[in-house]
Amino acid sequence: MTAGALVIERTRTGRVSLVALLLVVACSGRRKTDVAVVDAGPEVAPAPPPAREELLLDLLEPTPRCRLEHRGAFVDLGAPESAWATPGHPDASTELPSFERDGATWGRVVDRSQSWTLALDETGPALVALRGRARAAKKVSVAVDGKTVGTLALAANEDRVVTVSNPALTLTPGLHVLSLRWHGPVSKEEPLAELDWIRLGTVDGAATAYAAPTRRDTFAQVALGGSPRRAYSLMAPSTLRCVVVAPKGAWVAADVGAIGEGAGAVALRVKSLSADANTSVEKAATSAAWAPISSAPFATGGLVEVELAVLRGPKQGRVAVAEPRIVRAPTLAPPREEKKALSAVVIVLAGLSAREIDRMPVLARLAKEGTTFRAHRAPSHVAAGSFASLATGLPVPVHAVEDVGARLSQRTPLVGKRLGPFGVESAMFTEVPSTGAAFGFAHDWTSFAAKSPLDGAPVAFDELSKYVGAHAGKKSLLYLHARGAHPPWDISPEALKTLGPEGYSGPVDPKHAVAIIGRARKGLGKLNEADRARLEALRDAALLAQSKRLEAFLEDQRAQGTLDKLLLVVTGDVPFTIPPAHVEAKPAVSGAPSVVGSKLPPKAPPKPVLDSEPLQIPLLVRFPGGAHAGKVVDVVTDPSDVAATVVLALGGSADGLFGRDLALLARGDDDARDAPRLLDDGRGYTFVWGESRLVGVWGKAPQLRFALDDADLRADHPYLYLSAWGLAADARNGWMLARAKGPGREPATIDGATQAALDAWEKPR
């Protein structure tokens, strides 16, 4: 990987000359890129324009979805992309501090050991090569999958490519862990070594020297037959391998040609990971003109693995793979412009889970008039953290409301502030103590009010009607955090008499429900089946009452002719779960108290929850004008999407927000399936991409799963695993960059009144 890119050019007289053309383009955070302009043939008539197509994904762009391979796998060190090869460790690239030498980006080795996870598609004796320079250490031991390959020796003051192989260690297709351990003193003053790249492959007996396929040395502007294209300039054998999520009817397209005397050959292979379908096409590459190569349209949408393999190349040249892309036929009808809202109401029903939608009949009607986002997830187990994402449009690590003791910083803008310049009056009303002023939610609204659960019956829907009525005909926004499915539940004594289960005489009643649930969660008390049934009945009665209030609000807006000017969102914060009943060895005596003190030590805390399913919450959106009525969207969403949708619907700008416009997803979610989502609930993370999920905790290699299957499939899909991890690492690093610019975590200051309200809301777990 020298400073100049050596490219073969055939002149128009037919002679072959070597031309090194260097146009250095600075790429922030990435290796500098040489763009070589090559005319590789005589002038010919330009090819006819291709059929019209809509570009879905440019496979030339640097992305974890794609990787270049040449005689094995490699890692370009010193660049942020090196984190794509360290599953579970998104900060690994920072452990090799980057610097520049001769226009190239290198990494300084400051720790005694490093490891990378790479995927191979070949079988043979293990071979490891690297390009580097010795500093404090001259030797490094190399292992693959914990088995020794050998020792490499570097030279001081000299950049050297060194190689070691082990005929006794056979590598097979799949994932492999490549490890280095340096021999030398670790010092803050001097690094152990400096590395450019590292390669894992098999002994192949090739006569030509290895050239690492870095972006700097492969990305070029190539002209064939007078037609310049952006392309990868690749030596044979090489492979551009990509994993994408593509909609049904899309296809892969590229143009191929030869740089130098002779011809080459390129194979396009497409493998569906979500359906049993594989296709393969081969095309000759010549220097006369570009040759198009494409796959058939995909019969089904979903995860697709794409290979553009250079099988053969010119003896003294390369093969250009130009503008590889995922495309589809263009949409003939222009996209419908979303109707702007005059006002917006976001109702957050505390504790409501997706399983409890049927407890509120109004939501079934709302689903017919609006759009259901049934893969909606809370981003945190902390209700305030989830609500903060709804109010800011930021993920939890950025707004930093990541535990029950954190507050939202006054320096973190809420949606009310974003909409103020657009003439929108905004308000927030909360009945949830953890989203009150003490936790930082009172700023940036035109008005803010809160009601403690100690102050009597809930009034959220009264406040809703009053606010909307007072702002009729005005641009306005209301965030309403109602009690929802969370205790304390307000049930009248008359209703309590007819509440199930029939004949219940246990201790559960509205006044003591919070304390009883708190004791059961801490292992200090037990619930029997009747107790749990009474708790569920109390919750359902409270939800039914709120359902009727919401139904009345909708009918009032409909009667006034304002419903179609309103953006209405109904969702939850985090699911509130009632503890399971304790099954006694012997039947309990009828009427005996069931929640009693226990002398046994408290139960061990639950293991970290790695799956996002426990955090599934409802999201129903009635768009202005009843747009997208009855639609069901399966793409994973989170509260930051709601914030972006509200801001855009009221005419604001979503710049700086992490969410997406739900209206676009409701219009058609195929385009969003390749837009992955990272969810980090503080106990673990889930990365959703198409049908796949990475599930894990930071610092350990994650598992790869499909849909709701708990089987770990990373060994079966190594390239999908590494691509998904790279996307997750990039998303997490984006969060960390945004967090570094923000105020960070701030502790909440809780006075006596706030603490009393918190105790009445939920006893400490």
Side-chain angles (χ1 to χ4, degrees), residues 45 65 108 113 142 315 328 337 355 390 413 436 487 557 687 689 703 727 746:
R65 294 174 176 83
R108 288 191 173 95
S113 61
V142 181
K315 290 184 178 180
R328 68 178 173 190
E337 184 176 351
R355 296 184 298 272
L390 190 79
Q557 294 300 300
F687 179 78
W689 185 32
Q703 295 184 2
L727 290 168
E746 293 184 1

Side-chain angles (χ1 to χ4, degrees), residues 30 62-67 79-93 117 175 243 674 676-678 685 687-689 692-694 698 701-704 717-735:
R30 294 187 175 92
T63 169
R65 294 174 176 83
C66 296
R67 67 197 68 247
E81 291 89 336
S82 61
W84 301 347
T86 56
H89 302 274
D91 303 319
S93 61
T117 300
L175 291 172
V243 180
D674 195 52
R677 299 295 278 177
L678 177 62
Y685 66 89
F687 179 78
V688 183
W689 185 32
S692 70
R693 295 178 303 152
L694 285 183
W698 303 116
Q703 295 184 2
L704 175 68
H717 302 285
Y719 294 101
L720 168 61
Y721 179 69
L722 292 179
S723 291
W725 164 251
L727 290 168
D730 278 2
R732 195 253 188 191
N733 289 338
W735 287 359

Side-chain angles (χ1 to χ4, degrees), residues 622-645:
R622 192 186 193 281
F623 291 100
H628 317 301
K631 284 284 193 72
V632 176
V633 177
D634 289 324
V635 171
V636 172
T637 55
D638 66 56
S640 67
D641 296 318
V642 176
T645 304

Side-chain angles (χ1 to χ4, degrees), residues 85-105:
T86 56
H89 302 274
D91 303 319
S93 61
T94 63
E95 298 172 4
L96 287 171
S98 64
F99 71 99
E100 196 171 290
R101 173 180 293 144
D102 299 330
T105 306

Side-chain angles (χ1 to χ4, degrees), residues 107-132:
R108 288 191 173 95
V109 179
V110 295
D111 294 324
R112 192 175 296 281
S113 61
Q114 298 83 38
S115 64
W116 300 271
T117 300
L118 302 170
L120 288 181
D121 194 21
E122 56 197 65
T123 300
L127 179 146
V128 175
L130 61 82
R131 184 172 187 247

Side-chain angles (χ1 to χ4, degrees), residues 479-533:
Y479 268 48
L480 191 78
H481 202 180
R483 289 192 188 180
H486 200 293
W489 298 299
D490 186 64
I491 308 294
S492 67
E494 292 75 17
L496 193 62
K497 293 177 182 178
T498 59
L499 210 63
E502 185 178 355
Y504 179 76
S505 58
V508 176
D509 59 28
K511 181 178 180 180
H512 299 98
V514 172
I516 289 171
I517 291 172
R519 288 174 61 82
R521 282 177 170 162
K522 295 171 70 175
L524 301 177
K526 300 174 183 178
L527 299 175
N528 62 28
E529 293 290 350
D531 295 330
R532 195 174 195 282

